[in-house]
Amino acid sequence: MAYATTSDVQARFTAFTLSTGTKPTLAQVAQWLVEADAMLNGALSEAGLTSPNTNANGLEILKSLACDYAEGHLRVAMAAAGGDGTNDDGQRMLDHFYEWLKGITEGKYNGMMQGGGATGAGHFRAPDVDDDNDVAAESTAPVFTKANWDTSL
């Protein structure tokens, strides 16, 4: 079961229509999706989750991640072919994919992947916060203030 299709990637990337004659080719994008599926399924298995995922919420998340992986490779290939060494859009997408892959493996997103209905290993693991009024554990919890907000989104 594929989490995403080349049509999904094409819908995100409208600069040109992917085909057998483009560089990268439609077949290369399809292969990147196969690679993404394999890594995502491996991470799900490592986290003790159903692989391939069948939960509606999980499928949408995995579709987005698979598209990030394929589109990231597409953008890296295009930047390299065009000689644009300063264009890191594709690499940022790949980095995002690998961060999520690590998080899935570590069980950070189990509740999201199973739609909140999982038990045991399927529960979202909140960060450890110690409530005995010492500052050690509490200082590792995130603190959100307006100064930290990214308003450029």
Side-chain angles (χ1 to χ4, degrees):
M1 173 179 141
Y3 294 119
T5 66
T6 54
S7 296
D8 295 324
V9 176
Q10 182 67 71
R12 290 170 138 211
F13 190 81
T14 58
F16 63 86
T17 302
L18 296 164
S19 71
T20 57
T22 58
K23 292 185 181 181
T25 66
L26 188 63
Q28 287 172 305
V29 173
Q31 179 57 38
W32 291 325
L33 290 171
V34 169
E35 293 169 12
D37 286 355
M39 287 185 272
L40 290 167
N41 284 333
L44 290 168
S45 293
E46 179 70 21
L49 300 174
T50 303
S51 171
N53 190 290
T54 57
N55 176 273
N57 291 335
L59 289 173
E60 290 300 318
I61 294 166
L62 296 168
K63 175 182 175 179
S64 177
L65 291 170
C67 284
D68 283 351
Y69 182 82
E71 185 183 353
H73 276 289
L74 172 65
R75 290 179 178 273
V76 166
M78 290 185 65
D84 186 358
T86 63
N87 183 339
D88 66 350
D89 288 345
Q91 188 58 54
R92 285 185 293 182
M93 295 179 90
L94 291 170
D95 292 344
H96 175 258
F97 173 84
Y98 289 120
E99 287 172 25
W100 263 81
L101 194 67
K102 181 180 179 198
I104 292 169
T105 302
E106 294 172 348
K108 288 183 179 180
Y109 309 116
N110 288 2
M112 293 168 62
M113 294 298 165
Q114 298 293 3
T119 59
H123 278 284
F124 178 80
R125 292 181 180 96
D128 293 329
V129 177
D130 178 357
D131 197 16
D132 64 0
N133 294 326
D134 67 358
V135 293
E138 289 84 6
S139 66
T140 61
V143 176
F144 298 99
T145 64
K146 189 172 183 179
N148 294 341
W149 293 355
D150 183 355
T151 58
S152 66
L153 301 176

